[in-house]
Amino acid sequence: MDNTEKFEHWKDIAKYDLDTAEAMFRAGRYLYVVFMCQQAIEKLTKGLHVLNRGKEAPRTHNIYSIFKKVFDPSQKNEEFVEKEKEYAPFFAELLAYYISERYPSYREKLSHTIKPDKAEEVLKRTKEVFAWLLSLQKL
């Protein structure tokens, strides 16, 4: 598989995760909304890393850490830099929603803090960031 095919694979599974987040929202499973949002953005970012750097992304769930390695500074125009600054805090927020390997007590505590309005806000922001990330595949 070449890097473009690998990117398409990452993009497809990221889109699937985003669709799953929407389904979880409709089902009232708000913890899983934010988790799937985190997964969607992480996977799309890893796909961009493969596409741009020609190698697999670092094995981490820290989206911003991966994102900072995706683009060469010469590829970043003023608009890119502004969007990166705007979205960096959201990338950090998403990291808190990675629950796969967390202790059950953490998962339970987090599930009580994710209310419908927060899940909706994260889902909306994820769609916005997802669209921006997709636009970066052309850089």
Side-chain angles (χ1 to χ4, degrees):
M1 209 182 320
D2 69 22
N3 293 332
T4 301
E5 292 169 321
K6 287 179 183 179
F7 169 76
E8 290 298 323
H9 173 73
W10 280 111
K11 182 174 77 171
D12 289 347
I13 60 175
K15 178 67 172 114
Y16 186 89
D17 288 347
L18 185 55
D19 291 346
T20 300
E22 291 177 323
M24 292 293 98
F25 185 77
R26 289 190 300 274
R29 305 288 306 251
Y30 304 118
L31 175 62
Y32 288 95
V33 171
V34 297
F35 173 64
M36 295 312 299
C37 286
Q38 184 279 334
Q39 288 289 284
I41 297 298
E42 178 184 330
K43 290 172 184 174
L44 188 53
T45 303
K46 287 181 175 182
L48 286 169
H49 188 281
V50 169
L51 186 65
N52 244 3
R53 293 295 179 188
K55 60 183 179 182
E56 296 300 323
R59 294 182 61 96
T60 180
H61 301 291
N62 186 325
I63 297 165
Y64 192 55
S65 173
I66 300 164
F67 185 79
K68 289 189 301 187
K69 297 173 182 157
V70 170
F71 299 98
D72 185 274
S74 66
Q75 293 175 287
K76 298 179 179 183
N77 61 25
E78 188 176 325
E79 180 184 348
F80 181 103
V81 171
E82 287 303 311
K83 285 288 188 189
E84 183 178 8
K85 284 180 189 174
E86 178 185 345
Y87 293 145
F90 184 65
F91 291 154
E93 178 184 349
L94 286 175
L95 181 58
Y97 301 139
Y98 178 75
I99 60 171
S100 190
E101 296 172 5
R102 305 276 181 152
Y103 291 104
S105 60
Y106 176 85
R107 190 177 316 158
E108 184 178 333
K109 183 179 177 183
L110 183 61
S111 71
H112 293 299
T113 66
I114 306 300
K115 304 295 182 208
D117 57 334
K118 182 62 176 176
E120 185 174 31
E121 173 192 321
V122 170
L123 182 57
K124 180 181 177 191
R125 187 74 164 178
T126 297
K127 290 177 184 180
E128 177 185 319
V129 172
F130 197 93
W132 179 65
L133 291 172
L134 281 177
S135 76
L136 299 179
Q137 68 184 305
K138 298 171 185 83
L139 289 183

Coordinates of all heavy atoms in Angstrom, one line a residue, residues 68-104:
K68 N 1.9 18.4 15.1 CA 3.0 19.3 15.0 C 4.1 18.7 14.1 O 4.9 19.4 13.6 CB 3.6 19.6 16.4 CG 2.8 20.5 17.3 CD 3.5 20.9 18.5 CE 3.9 19.8 19.4 NZ 4.4 20.2 20.7
K69 N 4.1 17.4 13.9 CA 5.1 16.7 13.1 C 4.6 16.5 11.7 O 5.4 16.0 10.8 CB 5.5 15.4 13.7 CG 6.1 15.6 15.1 CD 6.3 14.2 15.8 CE 6.9 14.5 17.2 NZ 6.7 13.5 18.1
V70 N 3.4 16.8 11.3 CA 2.8 16.5 10.0 C 3.3 17.4 8.9 O 3.7 16.9 7.9 CB 1.3 16.5 10.1 CG1 0.7 16.5 8.7 CG2 0.7 15.4 11.0
F71 N 3.4 18.7 9.2 CA 3.7 19.6 8.2 C 5.1 20.3 8.4 O 5.4 20.6 9.5 CB 2.7 20.7 8.1 CG 1.3 20.1 7.7 CD1 0.4 19.9 8.7 CD2 1.0 19.8 6.4 CE1 -0.8 19.3 8.4 CE2 -0.2 19.3 6.1 CZ -1.1 19.0 7.0
D72 N 5.8 20.5 7.3 CA 7.0 21.2 7.4 C 6.7 22.7 7.6 O 5.7 23.2 7.0 CB 7.7 21.1 6.0 CG 9.1 21.7 6.0 OD1 9.1 22.9 5.7 OD2 10.1 21.0 6.2
P73 N 7.5 23.5 8.3 CA 7.1 24.9 8.6 C 6.9 25.7 7.3 O 6.1 26.6 7.3 CB 8.3 25.4 9.4 CG 8.9 24.2 10.0 CD 8.6 23.0 9.1
S74 N 7.6 25.3 6.2 CA 7.4 26.0 4.9 C 6.0 25.8 4.3 O 5.6 26.6 3.5 CB 8.5 25.6 3.9 OG 8.3 24.2 3.6
Q75 N 5.3 24.8 4.8 CA 4.0 24.6 4.3 C 2.9 25.4 5.0 O 1.8 25.5 4.6 CB 3.6 23.1 4.4 CG 4.4 22.2 3.6 CD 4.1 20.7 3.9 OE1 4.4 20.2 4.9 NE2 3.3 20.1 3.0
K76 N 3.3 26.0 6.1 CA 2.3 26.7 6.9 C 2.2 28.2 6.6 O 3.1 29.0 6.9 CB 2.7 26.6 8.4 CG 2.8 25.1 8.9 CD 3.2 25.1 10.3 CE 3.2 23.7 10.8 NZ 3.6 23.6 12.3
N77 N 1.1 28.6 6.0 CA 0.8 30.0 5.8 C 0.2 30.6 7.0 O -0.1 30.0 8.0 CB 0.0 30.2 4.5 CG -1.4 29.5 4.6 OD1 -1.9 29.3 5.7 ND2 -2.0 29.2 3.5
E78 N -0.1 31.9 6.9 CA -0.6 32.6 8.1 C -2.0 32.0 8.5 O -2.2 31.9 9.7 CB -0.8 34.1 7.7 CG -1.2 35.0 8.9 CD -1.2 36.4 8.6 OE1 -0.4 36.9 7.8 OE2 -2.1 37.1 9.2
E79 N -2.8 31.7 7.6 CA -4.1 31.1 7.9 C -4.0 29.8 8.6 O -4.7 29.5 9.6 CB -5.0 30.9 6.6 CG -6.3 30.3 6.9 CD -7.1 30.1 5.6 OE1 -6.7 30.5 4.6 OE2 -8.1 29.3 5.7
F80 N -3.0 29.0 8.1 CA -2.8 27.7 8.8 C -2.3 27.9 10.2 O -2.8 27.2 11.1 CB -1.7 26.9 8.0 CG -1.3 25.6 8.5 CD1 -1.8 24.4 7.9 CD2 -0.5 25.5 9.7 CE1 -1.4 23.2 8.4 CE2 -0.2 24.2 10.2 CZ -0.6 23.1 9.6
V81 N -1.4 28.8 10.4 CA -0.9 29.0 11.8 C -2.0 29.5 12.7 O -2.0 29.1 13.9 CB 0.3 30.1 11.7 CG1 0.7 30.5 13.1 CG2 1.5 29.5 11.0
E82 N -2.9 30.3 12.2 CA -4.0 30.8 13.1 C -4.9 29.7 13.4 O -5.4 29.6 14.6 CB -4.7 31.9 12.4 CG -4.0 33.2 12.3 CD -3.6 33.8 13.7 OE1 -4.5 33.8 14.6 OE2 -2.4 34.1 13.9
K83 N -5.2 28.8 12.5 CA -6.1 27.7 12.7 C -5.4 26.7 13.7 O -6.1 26.2 14.6 CB -6.5 26.9 11.4 CG -7.5 27.6 10.6 CD -8.9 27.6 11.3 CE -9.9 28.1 10.3 NZ -11.2 28.3 11.0
E84 N -4.2 26.5 13.5 CA -3.4 25.6 14.4 C -3.5 26.1 15.9 O -3.8 25.4 16.8 CB -2.0 25.5 14.0 CG -1.2 24.5 14.8 CD 0.3 24.4 14.3 OE1 0.7 25.1 13.4 OE2 1.0 23.5 14.9
K85 N -3.3 27.4 16.0 CA -3.4 28.0 17.4 C -4.8 27.9 17.9 O -5.0 27.6 19.1 CB -3.0 29.5 17.3 CG -1.6 29.8 17.2 CD -1.3 31.3 17.1 CE 0.1 31.6 16.8 NZ 0.3 33.1 16.6
E86 N -5.8 28.1 17.1 CA -7.2 28.0 17.5 C -7.5 26.6 18.0 O -8.3 26.4 18.9 CB -8.1 28.4 16.4 CG -9.6 28.3 16.7 CD -10.5 28.7 15.5 OE1 -10.0 29.2 14.5 OE2 -11.7 28.3 15.6
Y87 N -7.1 25.6 17.2 CA -7.5 24.2 17.5 C -6.6 23.5 18.5 O -7.0 22.4 19.0 CB -7.5 23.4 16.2 CG -8.6 23.9 15.3 CD1 -8.5 23.9 13.9 CD2 -9.9 24.3 15.8 CE1 -9.5 24.3 13.0 CE2 -10.9 24.7 14.9 CZ -10.7 24.7 13.6 OH -11.7 25.1 12.7
A88 N -5.4 24.0 18.8 CA -4.5 23.3 19.7 C -5.2 23.0 21.1 O -5.0 21.9 21.6 CB -3.2 24.1 19.9
P89 N -5.9 23.9 21.7 CA -6.6 23.6 22.9 C -7.6 22.5 22.8 O -7.8 21.7 23.7 CB -7.2 24.9 23.4 CG -6.5 26.0 22.7 CD -6.0 25.4 21.4
F90 N -8.3 22.5 21.6 CA -9.3 21.4 21.4 C -8.6 20.0 21.3 O -9.1 19.0 21.8 CB -10.1 21.7 20.1 CG -11.2 20.7 19.9 CD1 -12.2 20.6 20.8 CD2 -11.2 19.9 18.8 CE1 -13.3 19.6 20.6 CE2 -12.2 19.0 18.6 CZ -13.2 18.8 19.5
F91 N -7.4 20.0 20.6 CA -6.7 18.7 20.5 C -6.3 18.3 21.9 O -6.4 17.1 22.2 CB -5.4 18.9 19.7 CG -5.6 19.2 18.3 CD1 -4.6 19.9 17.5 CD2 -6.7 18.7 17.6 CE1 -4.8 20.1 16.2 CE2 -6.9 18.9 16.2 CZ -5.9 19.6 15.5
A92 N -5.9 19.2 22.8 CA -5.6 18.8 24.2 C -6.9 18.3 24.9 O -6.8 17.3 25.7 CB -5.0 20.0 24.9
E93 N -8.0 19.0 24.7 CA -9.2 18.5 25.3 C -9.6 17.1 24.9 O -10.0 16.3 25.7 CB -10.4 19.5 25.0 CG -11.7 19.1 25.6 CD -12.9 20.0 25.1 OE1 -12.6 21.1 24.6 OE2 -14.0 19.6 25.4
L94 N -9.4 16.9 23.6 CA -9.8 15.5 23.1 C -8.9 14.4 23.8 O -9.4 13.3 24.0 CB -9.6 15.5 21.6 CG -10.6 16.2 20.8 CD1 -10.3 16.1 19.3 CD2 -12.0 15.6 21.0
L95 N -7.7 14.7 24.1 CA -6.8 13.7 24.7 C -7.5 13.2 26.0 O -7.4 12.1 26.4 CB -5.4 14.3 25.0 CG -4.4 13.3 25.6 CD1 -4.2 12.1 24.8 CD2 -3.1 14.0 25.8
A96 N -8.1 14.1 26.8 CA -8.8 13.7 28.0 C -9.9 12.7 27.8 O -10.3 12.0 28.7 CB -9.3 15.0 28.7
Y97 N -10.4 12.7 26.6 CA -11.5 11.8 26.3 C -11.1 10.4 25.8 O -11.9 9.5 25.5 CB -12.5 12.4 25.2 CG -13.0 13.7 25.7 CD1 -13.2 14.8 24.8 CD2 -13.5 13.9 27.0 CE1 -13.7 16.0 25.2 CE2 -14.0 15.2 27.4 CZ -14.1 16.2 26.5 OH -14.6 17.4 26.9
Y98 N -9.8 10.2 25.7 CA -9.3 8.9 25.3 C -9.5 7.9 26.5 O -8.9 8.1 27.5 CB -7.8 8.9 24.8 CG -7.4 7.5 24.5 CD1 -7.8 6.9 23.3 CD2 -6.6 6.8 25.3 CE1 -7.4 5.6 22.9 CE2 -6.2 5.5 25.0 CZ -6.6 4.9 23.8 OH -6.2 3.7 23.5
I99 N -10.4 7.0 26.3 CA -10.7 6.1 27.5 C -10.4 4.7 27.3 O -10.5 3.9 28.3 CB -12.2 6.3 27.8 CG1 -13.1 5.8 26.6 CG2 -12.6 7.7 28.2 CD1 -14.5 5.6 26.9
S100 N -9.9 4.2 26.2 CA -9.8 2.8 26.0 C -9.0 2.1 27.0 O -9.3 1.0 27.5 CB -9.2 2.6 24.6 OG -9.2 1.2 24.3
E101 N -7.9 2.7 27.5 CA -7.0 2.0 28.4 C -7.1 2.6 29.8 O -6.2 2.3 30.7 CB -5.6 1.9 27.9 CG -5.5 1.2 26.6 CD -4.1 1.3 26.0 OE1 -3.2 1.9 26.6 OE2 -4.0 0.8 24.9
R102 N -8.0 3.5 30.1 CA -8.1 4.1 31.4 C -8.8 3.2 32.4 O -9.5 2.2 32.0 CB -9.0 5.4 31.3 CG -8.6 6.4 30.2 CD -7.5 7.3 30.7 NE -7.1 8.2 29.7 CZ -6.6 9.4 29.9 NH1 -6.5 9.8 31.1 NH2 -6.3 10.2 28.9
Y103 N -8.5 3.4 33.6 CA -9.1 2.6 34.7 C -10.6 2.9 34.7 O -11.1 3.9 34.4 CB -8.5 3.1 36.1 CG -7.1 2.7 36.2 CD1 -6.1 3.6 36.1 CD2 -6.7 1.3 36.4 CE1 -4.7 3.3 36.2 CE2 -5.4 1.0 36.6 CZ -4.4 1.9 36.5 OH -3.1 1.6 36.6
P104 N -11.4 1.8 35.1 CA -12.8 1.9 35.1 C -13.3 3.1 36.0 O -14.3 3.8 35.6 CB -13.3 0.6 35.7 CG -12.2 -0.4 35.4 CD -10.9 0.5 35.4

